[in-house]
Amino acid sequence: RQFGTNSLHVFEDTGSTTVMELSRKLRAFIRWMRENGIEYSDALAFYEGDKTVAADIGVKALYDLKEGDLIATIPKEACLTVKTSQAAAIIDEAELGGDLGLAVAVMYERSKQQSSKWYGYLQLLPFRQSLPIVWSLIEIDSLLAGTELHKAIKEDRSLIQQDWRECYGILKDLYGEKFLENWFTLEHFLAAKTLVASRAFQVDDIHGFGMVPLADLFNHKTAAEDVHFTSVFDDSNSEEADLSSSPIRNKHDTGQFHGKEADLHLNGSEEAVSSSQNGVENSTGSPSDWEGNTDILEMILVKDVAKGHEIFNTYGMLSNSALLHRYGFTEPNNPFDIVNVELATVSDICCQSFTQRHFRRRVNIWRKTGCEPCSSEGSEYFEITADGRPQAELLMLLYIIHLPDPACSNLLFEDDLVGKATHDVVAENENKLNAVGRVARVLGWSKGLCSQRMLVEDNNGNISAKPGKRKRQTRSSKLTKHETEMLSTTNRKQKKNPSKEPAAQILGELDCWLLTIPVCRCLMSLLLERNSLYPQEEEGSMTKSVQMGSGKNLKDSVDYERTKLENINCEQDPKLFHALSLRLSERTILHKCWCLISERLKSLI
Ligand SMILES: C[S@@+](CC[C@H](N)C(=O)[O-])C[C@H]1O[C@@H](n2cnc3c(N)ncnc32)[C@H](O)[C@@H]1O
């Protein structure tokens, strides 16, 4: 397949300085791509992204594209990595690996300005991406308080400053008089870190992470699954590409891609216009020219893309806090959202009813049985997923805390809960049970033969069981399906969430067994406590008439955040918009969880 002649397609010049400037930069970038062997289909158009989501540039299809179409090839030599950078030797000598090395490579190439091989690419990038790590401390404290990101960003900032100080010293020694101090300031370092966080791809094992020109112009859409990028494999490797995890793949690279993956979202924007002026002539050979060539990355569509639609990448199954953390934006109704409840908060709530000694002792017993919380960077926590379902380990902990002494003591004599469980009459099912299931079995749970069955309620209110599995996710602030309720493209406000209150079918049999009356009450206190971490004072007028300690607080919090978000223009104030959007999604999860638990409680009383 030949790419043919690439016309230059950029969005229409409206006369605005910004638009004209971006247009000029795009033309320079297109020339640079041609000079550096980057080839792409003439069906691709670069256009000003949908401003309601504040994405500056995006890529759309100028005509219908088909699944399997090769839309671009990018030589690895054109990627900016620690191996290809002119600073490779210094970065190697300074032993700066990973993101840090790449940030230094970006800074170094920027310092070289027009003499850098990547000037034509770098001039297109913003100086920095507006990620929370470059927000002011006041913004971080006022916008992110209570969210999953607040602590993480503060920690990141101090670690980055530490990294910069160390790097600065090492590089100054190594560069000697060639060291261009003005280009290695903390501001430059932070800026480079934001570009690496939001744009770098894993190129291969040798190059590691790198800036991949062109590939990094595609915007993200969560799990839209219309199309994925993929690539062919070399003859010696007949494995199928893991399309769900590999956007760009070296033909010889069988490893999982750990960065961004690709998919398509259909966006009706017609901002792109075509112009043959300064067109890029990419008269290339057929793909067979490249077969077996390990030095080239390919981008192949795996689904049809209709003319005029944006071609979206997906950066992974990420919660809103992870999206905001690494890319500076959020998505409404993100199904990969999570709220975490710290073990310390569980302690605070339980110690209102029990002694600290009792709490510590029960936590120890709970740990001994093989249960554990999630942990990350020294903190221990439990997850509540987007549907409001609390992590089973948390339910088990609350259950054990509320157990009468004799029952709990029995657990102490269960040295080998796994062993015990496998001798059960339902031994063949036991290996399917996790630690929580095994402990529950020892404690007398006998109803469910499969711990992960969902209770499904039909229209008549009859409950039946259907197999299901709780999706485990990574911590929302570190990493992370999309029911599309897009931000309105016309008024740039979020639509009112029409979703109904969550129903009890989300809880599995084991969840319900663990949710005794005291466990439900304790969990509800925990939810209120977690909700109180968000700034309350602004809500004062709204909530003072509300009975404290009730689920109405949570519902009011959600309504409050939604109303606020509706009045923010994403384009004018993206930081506030995405911070509020994060708060809304987190508080919605807390409310969903509250509804689940209170429904369960009602059924018990
Ligand atoms: C890899 S770049 C994608 C190209 C980018 N739009 C540009 O102008 O170069 C990633 C950045 O694009 C923006 N972005 C990507 N997808 C987005 C989305 N769905 N909503 C808002 N911003 C998005 C964010 O600023 C993110 O940090």
Side-chain angles (χ1 to χ4, degrees):
R1 180 199 161 103
Q2 294 200 334
F3 283 133
T5 301
N6 287 102
S7 300
L8 173 63
H9 299 288
V10 295
F11 53 87
E12 201 165 25
D13 279 1
T14 62
S16 112
T17 317
T18 315
V19 170
M20 286 175 67
E21 176 76 352
L22 196 49
S23 171
R24 188 189 58 71
K25 289 179 169 189
L26 267 170
R27 289 170 207 279
F29 173 61
I30 289 168
R31 279 195 299 277
W32 178 87
M33 284 198 286
R34 184 177 47 192
E35 287 156 15
N36 286 276
I38 296 178
E39 296 166 354
Y40 62 94
S41 161
D42 53 9
L44 300 192
F46 309 113
Y47 79 111
E48 191 179 16
D50 180 349
K51 281 290 180 189
T52 59
V53 290
D56 295 326
I57 302 174
V59 183
K60 69 188 285 189
L62 280 178
Y63 51 78
D64 288 349
L65 288 166
K66 288 273 167 252
E67 175 183 339
D69 280 354
L70 175 66
I71 57 166
T73 60
I74 304 160
K76 287 183 189 170
E77 276 302 306
C79 301
L80 172 49
T81 69
V82 292
K83 297 283 175 216
T84 57
S85 164
Q86 281 178 56
I90 291 160
I91 293 170
D92 192 41
E93 206 179 327
E95 295 180 353
L96 301 174
D99 288 4
L100 194 55
L102 185 57
V104 169
V106 169
M107 281 197 293
Y108 180 84
E109 296 301 336
R110 277 185 152 175
S111 78
K112 292 282 159 199
Q113 302 180 76
Q114 278 90 340
S115 66
S116 164
K117 173 181 169 179
W118 285 276
Y119 181 72
Y121 162 64
L122 293 171
Q123 56 86 38
L124 179 66
L125 305 189
F127 175 65
R128 67 171 81 78
Q129 212 79 49
S130 178
L131 310 189
I133 50 160
V134 290
W135 296 1
S136 71
L137 268 179
I138 293 174
E139 287 168 335
I140 293 170
D141 284 337
S142 60
L143 299 177
L144 298 178
T147 70
E148 292 300 315
L149 271 189
H150 194 203
K151 229 163 85 184
I153 296 297
K154 290 186 125 173
E155 280 165 11
D156 280 0
R157 276 174 67 101
S158 69
L159 287 174
I160 289 174
Q161 285 180 16
Q162 231 172 288
D163 278 351
W164 173 73
R165 273 193 291 274
E166 283 169 23
C167 257
Y168 187 83
I170 297 171
L171 292 171
K172 199 163 179 174
D173 288 349
L174 291 171
Y175 277 124
E177 69 267 15
K178 280 199 237 151
F179 183 76
L180 298 164
E181 227 156 306
N182 293 347
W183 290 88
F184 289 86
T185 63
L186 177 58
E187 197 191 0
H188 282 85
F189 185 64
L190 276 166
K193 290 285 281 187
T194 64
L195 295 184
V196 170
S198 62
R199 311 183 81 98
F201 287 83
Q202 173 77 9
V203 175
D204 60 23
D205 288 347
I206 295 166
H207 290 82
F209 274 94
M211 309 299 282
V212 185
L214 180 62
D216 67 356
L217 291 188
F218 293 79
N219 291 316
H220 165 88
K221 184 88 177 157
T222 296
E225 305 293 341
D226 294 317
V227 73
H228 280 214
F229 293 123
T230 186
S231 72
V232 296
F233 289 86
D234 71 312
D235 296 336
S236 62
N237 183 353
S238 56
E239 267 182 51
E240 284 296 310
D242 178 353
L243 302 181
S244 66
S245 63
S246 181
I248 290 187
R249 220 180 241 268
N250 173 352
K251 289 172 185 173
H252 287 257
D253 179 11
T254 56
Q256 286 280 329
F257 178 74
H258 299 294
K260 305 165 179 71
E261 53 187 276
D263 76 330
L264 171 82
H265 162 64
L266 306 182
N267 180 321
S269 172
E270 289 303 330
E271 280 181 74
V273 293
S274 86
S275 155
S276 55
Q277 189 194 359
N278 290 338
V280 177
E281 295 189 11
N282 283 331
S283 172
T284 67
S286 72
S288 60
D289 291 349
W290 316 314
E291 257 161 30
N293 186 344
T294 61
D295 300 329
I296 288 177
L297 301 166
E298 297 180 349
M299 298 174 83
I300 300 172
L301 297 182
V302 296
K303 276 193 183 168
D304 298 353
V305 182
K307 172 184 173 178
H309 291 173
E310 181 165 0
I311 304 171
F312 276 88
N313 187 355
T314 167
Y315 305 163
M317 296 179 290
L318 304 176
S319 66
N320 275 343
S321 63
L323 283 174
L324 186 56
H325 195 180
R326 284 166 51 176
Y327 302 99
F329 69 93
T330 53
E331 283 199 323
N333 301 321
N334 181 340
F336 298 106
D337 259 340
I338 288 177
V339 168
N340 296 323
V341 177
E342 303 279 334
L343 180 57
T345 313
V346 181
S347 165
D348 291 346
I349 290 300
C350 292
C351 289
Q352 290 172 8
S353 315
F354 300 98
T355 62
Q356 283 200 359
R357 192 167 168 272
H358 173 94
F359 179 78
R360 276 201 307 271
R361 201 165 164 267
R362 295 299 169 101
V363 170
N364 284 340
I365 293 172
W366 170 80
R367 286 191 200 269
K368 274 188 189 159
T369 64
C371 294
E372 52 187 6
C374 304
S375 64
S376 170
E377 288 167 14
S379 80
E380 294 188 307
Y381 60 93
F382 302 95
E383 299 169 347
I384 306 176
T385 43
D387 53 9
R389 192 175 178 200
Q391 194 176 334
E393 283 79 359
L394 170 61
L395 300 185
M396 179 54 88
L397 176 59
L398 299 181
Y399 188 93
I400 289 179
I401 285 168
H402 289 87
L403 267 184
D405 267 337
C408 194
S409 304
N410 285 344
L411 272 179
L412 282 174
F413 298 107
E414 298 293 338
D415 288 338
D416 182 358
L417 281 164
V418 182
K420 168 88 178 177
T422 51
H423 287 103
D424 201 274
V425 282
V426 286
E428 68 273 21
N429 288 310
E430 293 302 306
N431 56 352
K432 290 183 194 157
L433 296 177
N434 56 18
V436 175
R438 291 194 302 268
V439 183
R441 183 56 53 84
V442 169
L443 286 169
W445 176 57
S446 57
K447 271 182 165 176
L449 297 185
C450 169
S451 66
Q452 302 291 0
R453 289 170 87 86
M454 303 287 195
L455 295 183
V456 180
E457 197 174 12
D458 65 21
N459 292 338
N460 303 319
N462 300 320
I463 307 277
S464 60
K466 121 173 172 206
K469 211 170 162 202
R470 182 181 191 275
K471 278 185 254 157
R472 289 304 307 275
Q473 301 187 30
T474 46
R475 184 172 194 172
S476 50
S477 65
K478 301 298 164 205
L479 291 179
T480 137
K481 192 162 182 157
H482 198 86
E483 297 160 279
T484 308
E485 192 194 341
M486 277 299 293
L487 296 175
S488 160
T489 50
T490 48
N491 61 11
R492 290 163 190 170
K493 290 174 182 172
Q494 194 176 40
K495 285 183 199 161
K496 278 219 182 283
N497 184 353
S499 65
K500 286 193 256 150
E501 309 265 287
Q505 69 261 28
I506 291 167
L507 296 170
E509 283 182 13
L510 178 54
D511 295 334
C512 290
W513 186 80
L514 290 167
L515 281 165
T516 58
I517 293 174
V519 169
C520 287
R521 290 194 169 135
C522 184
L523 192 48
M524 289 162 95
S525 302
L526 255 181
L527 293 172
L528 290 172
E529 181 71 10
R530 176 65 185 81
N531 192 50
S532 73
L533 298 180
Y534 301 98
Q536 302 287 305
E537 66 281 7
E538 311 160 301
E539 295 167 59
S541 55
M542 268 192 79
T543 54
K544 71 178 169 225
S545 59
V546 174
Q547 188 200 346
M548 284 302 292
S550 81
K552 192 150 188 333
N553 290 68
L554 291 160
K555 174 85 173 74
D556 284 348
S557 302
V558 171
D559 292 342
Y560 171 76
E561 301 289 8
R562 186 174 293 123
T563 309
K564 264 184 99 173
L565 188 59
E566 282 173 352
N567 291 305
I568 306 297
N569 182 317
C570 173
E571 194 180 339
Q572 279 169 6
D573 200 342
K575 291 179 191 172
L576 178 59
F577 181 88
H578 291 297
L580 280 177
S581 163
L582 175 61
R583 266 188 3 210
L584 174 63
S585 50
E586 290 186 3
R587 298 183 105 167
T588 301
I589 296 175
L590 292 174
H591 180 237
K592 282 184 178 175
C593 185
W594 175 280
C595 293
L596 283 177
I597 306 307
S598 55
E599 242 181 86
R600 171 68 186 152
L601 188 57
K602 270 188 231 146
S603 74
L604 292 170
I605 295 175

